[in-house]
Amino acid sequence: MVARSTQVQRIMQHVIDGTSVSIVGQHWSGRSELLKQLAETLRGIGLATLQLRGIENTRPFEAFRAALPAASPVRGADAEFAAELSRLVKELVAEGPVVVLVDDIDLLDEASWVLLEQLHKSFQIPIVGTSEVRNVSDPNERLLIKKAQPVVKFTLDELRLDEVHDLLEERLGDQVSPTLSGRIHMKSGGLPGFAVAFVDAARRRGRVRKHGLVWQDSPDLWSSELEGAFEALLFRYPEDTREALEMLVATGPLPVEQATALVGQETLEALEGRGLVRLFTAGSGPRVTVNPPGISDYFRHLPQSVRSIRLRQQIEEALGTDSSPVLAEQPTVPRQFADVIPQPEIPLLARAFRDAFEQDLDQTWVAWQSAKGPAEAVRALELRLTGDAPAGQIEEIIAGTDAARAHPTIALYLRYLRARWETTRELPLATIEDTLRGDHDLGEPLAIEALLIGFRAERTEITPAALDRIGEIAQHPGLAGEVGGLVYVAMHALGGRPCEALARFAQLPATGWVPRFAAPLRGLALVTSGRPQEALEWASSQLAAARERFDRSAMVAQGYVAVMALLTMSRYADATAAGSIVASGQFQAANLLFGPDRALMNALAIAARRSGRPGAVGTLIERGSRYLGRSDALPMGARDFPEALVTEIDGEPAETGRRYRALAADLASRGYAFSAAGSTMLALLIDFDLDAAIEQRARLEEMGGTVFLAYLDARIAHQRRDPEALIEAARWLRREHANDSALKYFTAAARMLREDSLEDEAARVREEIAALMSSEDPATEVALTQAESTLGFTQREREIIDLVAKGMNNPGIAETLTLSVRTVETHLRNIRRKSGALARDEIGEYSSLR
């Protein structure tokens, strides 16, 4: 793991300087593995290591006895054996520098602690010790920071989704589907030990299988082998602790007040102190959930017993028979995405959504079977269009519901949901239109006509006649105007008329059912109009509301808006983070017209490609291809989009550009103006053509695409070697919060001015760069690294850069350097992370040959 390797290097530096290091983390967080890597690295530079391990309830000096088997057995007092151990350690120190490594130092026996402290003080030997993280420590606990000086502390945080993906690919030896890595990230809570345990057990039991070169998951990853892994954790604690966890699993995520009422304040704080529960924000305030989330799988797979029945009774006594929490009203204050879903919360939130989905599946099915009414059918169908529905249930609900006496609005919505399901099955458009028309009159002909126009626009094209007609329907009062207004906003945003879309959005009702469907359309219109920062702020506020309602389709839709906004601002790592909740939670938005499921996966593939993770591109595209019936109209949602994207990895720029331009021409001919513009912009990024850029700029100016114009102006000025125009474009990008790109072009302008011996002008540009980096809204670390002159490439990375500059492909590089192609890909990923370079020609710019 790259993150762990970086930590090893940092710890090494402290140790060489004579500083001791305390490494803390949860169980299975990789403490022992990190210590093992450190030991190998220390020995590699010639330092001797004395490796101890703390074990509870052992005889005196047991840690030293195991580490120094050469110690002579001494009869008599422990003091004599301590002297023997001191002699052996002195001999070790005399041979050269020594570092003491102690795994589970908090479990070291008292005698070994005393001897270790004496050695540290006598010989200034640095100590590296691992211990279990605790929020509250007992004063009597043996902590390194109390025994040695100086000491620095390293905390092993949970792995992000992309790091878990890398870990699984390394473990399985090939590509891993994002569905598999997302599910294991969710179950493991980002703890590498549990992630490895899940995937190893799943592989042995055939729960994960290889399709081609990609490992795919099955519906259930649990196996009996995992019971031992979780029992090794849980049976370290008293029975009352285990019972408290089991009750919290049974209830699902609870507000803090209810969790306290259930298990007691003292127990709850003890669980939090040991990292067995975590807080995350949803509903009216913080909620308590079990951590790692895979503990839920363990308890849910236990057979029913007298004990489990007793615990259920305790839950009912403490919380009542209906313990479902009440959700808060939708917040109105926008927040940045990073504040809405912090990355450590992703597995917890994904699990909470999954638990809520499974419970609602059962409840809506029972409710529909009892009444078989239209209202129950609507709730059941809508839920099943946001995830994996049990086989046959949708068909049974559709066939068994009588909507003849339903309220016209409910009857129409029932028809709509059936049409959405038929869309995911890719039935003929004529069949879907017959479903919307139905077999009896609802008294809402204009609302039905608006839906027909919307489905045709999604499936085939957006025509001027359809735009005129939907504009007329949107002016009517009541249901017809509301439905027409929604379709109007979508068609105008995707048809390249974002100003009209935003104006109509402002006229839609602010209460009732309309805002839920209108919210993602506003975000999309803001992206279309070149206002990505506003789109991001809007998506952030809506994501906060969606997580409180456990609204799965809203999470997908607003996640897509956030990803598109961040891609527009060239914040590729942030875009990956924005989509990680959907990747972990396996949400869908098939209940929405112009559902963005496929488009979101393709957008995440672009983010992976741009952030130096080409191996993830194929698996994200593959997942997107499973979402049938999604529209080409959405940017990056076209069925043919992946073919162009794949050529970016190792293809020729000219061929990649040709594919994107062909795709753009097809989309434009169908009236999908914004999606076409996006494909053209991608073509220009890969294969820049000055005349095409000038032509595209004129089209975007008509659409009002502010930030896109700034990008084109920057590329045009760069091509013409016009530093003044480049500076103006960079300033424009900064105003639009596209700070990474602004920094890139400021740096390019300064370089041009220096090459023209205009040092004073170059110095002024460097002042703008300094102002950007010291502002409250700076460029990211990746962009800063790219702008720095010294990038810290390793010797092997420089060799690969030189071969890329010569035009060599990955197999050729592997053969030349006697490496595997996979190793070459890993080096290229690191090069991209360090430099920010995307295409191979950009990597080549860092070659010593130029």
Side-chain angles (χ1 to χ4, degrees), residues 568-630:
T568 300
M569 293 187 284
S570 302
R571 290 166 55 182
Y572 305 117
D574 289 340
T576 298
S580 60
I581 179 62
V582 179
S584 290
Q586 301 173 280
F587 309 157
Q588 293 184 39
N591 60 326
L592 299 180
L593 192 65
F594 297 102
D597 301 298
R598 185 170 66 209
L600 175 56
M601 291 301 109
N602 290 340
L604 290 175
I606 281 282
R609 166 76 180 94
R610 296 289 191 269
S611 58
R613 295 174 48 79
V617 172
T619 52
L620 287 162
I621 288 173
E622 188 275 333
R623 178 171 171 182
S625 68
R626 298 183 193 176
Y627 298 124
L628 303 179
R630 274 48 168 199

Side-chain angles (χ1 to χ4, degrees), residues 635-690:
M636 301 185 188
R639 189 183 295 270
D640 296 333
F641 180 85
E643 294 182 11
L645 174 56
V646 168
T647 62
E648 282 195 34
I649 298 176
D650 283 317
E652 292 294 326
E655 173 61 16
T656 303
R658 185 192 68 77
R659 285 180 177 269
Y660 277 129
R661 289 187 179 97
L663 178 61
D666 174 67
L667 292 169
S669 70
R670 298 165 62 187
Y672 302 148
F674 184 51
S675 189
S679 295
T680 302
M681 289 290 291
L682 289 170
L684 290 170
L685 286 173
I686 301 298
D687 181 30
F688 188 78
D689 179 271
L690 184 59

Side-chain angles (χ1 to χ4, degrees), residues 458-473:
E458 177 188 48
R459 188 74 170 261
T460 58
E461 61 182 344
I462 296 175
T463 64
L467 288 170
D468 290 341
R469 180 56 183 156
I470 200 65
E472 295 171 359
I473 296 174

Side-chain angles (χ1 to χ4, degrees), residues 68 80 325 422 521 637 659 827 843:
L68 296 169
E80 296 179 40
E422 291 174 345
L521 299 177
R659 285 180 177 269
H827 283 304
I843 292 175

Side-chain angles (χ1 to χ4, degrees), residues 280-282 341 345-353 547 555 581:
F280 70 97
T281 304
I341 306 182
E345 290 192 9
I346 293 296
L348 309 176
L349 190 59
R351 183 73 204 207
F353 265 84
R547 71 185 291 182
M555 294 295 289
I581 179 62

Side-chain angles (χ1 to χ4, degrees), residues 415-416 418-419 422 428-440 448 452 455-456:
R415 291 184 189 179
Y416 166 81
R418 178 178 175 178
E422 291 174 345
L429 182 58
T431 301
I432 295 170
E433 290 177 340
D434 286 343
T435 294
L436 291 170
R437 294 189 182 97
D439 55 7
H440 61 279
I448 292 173
L452 291 170
F455 274 74
R456 289 169 192 154

